[in-house]
Amino acid sequence: MIYQIYPRSFDDASGDGVGDLAGIRRRVPYLSWLGVDALWLSPIFRSPMADGGYDVSDYCAIDATFGTMAEFDRLLRDSHDAGLRLMLDWVPNHTSSEHPWFVESRSSRTNDKRDWYFWRDGVDDANDGRPNNWLAAFGGRAWTWDKATSQWYLHLFLPQQPDLNWANPKVEAAMLEVLQFWLDRGVDGFRADVIHLIGKDPRLLDQPAALADHDLVGVHDDPSTHGHLRRIRQVLDRYQGERAMVGEVQLGSPALLAPYFGRNDELQLVFNFGLLRSPWDASAWAAVISEAEHWLQETYQWPAWALGNHDTSRQRSRYGGSEERARVAALVLLTLRGTPFLFAGEELGLLDAVVADHQRVDPAGRDPVRAPIPWDDSARHGWDGDPWLPWPPEARQRNVSAAQSNATSIVHLYRRLLALRRASPALRRGRCRLIESNPAVLAYDRVTADASDFRRVLANFSDDTVALGSDNADWVVQISTNGQGEGDGWRGRLLPLQAVVLGASPGSTGRNR
Ligand code: GLC
């Protein structure tokens, strides 16, 4: 399981109210207690923070807000000592407008780095004079006028995030050097931000009328990206040990995600956000899982599931505030085939924070999910300074220390699921077979190729008790989201919003498998 940390929100050890590397470092024992395998840190590079660090002005420097390179090295060492891998967030599609590359590029039309970004003349008769009809992700058009050189530049996100022109081999080379810089330091891999956007047809053709109202991020899928991905993979493969990249590819269907694995020579992992976007409905979840299995089996690839991240409302908030639903979702996430990603704080069942207008920081309104993590019930909940955003609701009761000391809390459910997953070859690597049961129940088996390990997952999405019958008297309830029935034989009945992992009882013959 890969645990995502939004460093500004995790823990502040410097007293300025913004989370930092030293704050993360002092929580490594907690992360290892929880049982995560790897950490992914949202960007920690030097940045003017127009987009919370996804606007990088130096890819090889740590932003002073987070600490120093020496502090980073200490965090890397401590993580490795605790058996945790560390992944960084590489932002390849765009830099900050304050990056020296862009500062040079915009300095004159003849600058050497002019072609590192997309500069175009306007087209008078259409798009209010802009070069094409593209829209930016956070609203408005994807072009900004530069007075000094009288041209437009392209940005698929904020104007402070100009898009790099990867078709220029010098850009690709410079960005591959960034990867090498961090791999040489010992990082285990990267989460690659909106990586499907890096290849662009230099003609920058208009979006067809039917898509003209959509920003590019959810539809852009240019074949030239795949050549870049193969060269990126070659860099990773040159290093010893397993160095991995998980790509954020914002294209809805798994059919469109599958090509991003290449022939096992592009991304090792590609996020599937299908469940994150599904309504609370067992059949909808089953459909997402079956689609993903279908497309990835075709290419023998491995799914990467996420139910939350720094861009989306927290799970419990999305599920109407219900912790029971959040528990069911946790059990499913941690028993599916593939690598699960967990956004920090989901293991506490946190809700989105209420952020008043005057407290808003993010231009795209994502502050509520980025509220600080409460570590204990003291006034500052374990932070050294007063945090930059308000606390999430219920921080007095719902904090790490309170959750750890209550064996029935959701954090213990996560921990036990992670331990079970680690101990079970079927849950780790086995096939996933969806089972038809009851429309309110998501049901699947996980089984190793030699059938030596076999688990069944049953998740009741409804508020009613569901009778399923028991086709195998040997089943034992290993984990139950509400604790009920654990260790007992399976009696074929799920309580409202209860999910269970079943395993064979010791000494069973396995006859009904
Ligand atoms: C990705 C990030 C998001 C960021 C955007 C631009 O979608 O997850 O936080 O704003 O890219 O870099």
Side-chain angles (χ1 to χ4, degrees), residues 19-35:
D20 46 43
L21 296 173
I24 299 172
R25 193 158 74 90
R26 68 188 184 184
R27 302 303 179 179
V28 166
Y30 162 68
L31 297 166
S32 110
W33 172 85
L34 184 59

Side-chain angles (χ1 to χ4, degrees), residues 6 40 51 54-55 89 91 94 138 157 161 191 193-194 217 248 250 309-311 362 364 366 370:
Y6 193 70
W40 142 34
D51 183 14
Y54 286 92
D55 49 321
D89 205 321
V91 188
H94 42 266
F138 302 144
F157 292 88
Q161 293 169 296
R191 176 262 190 186
D193 190 63
V194 284
V217 178
E248 183 199 18
Q250 289 284 5
N309 59 35
H310 63 295
D311 293 329
D362 179 45
R366 296 163 295 183
R370 300 175 179 182

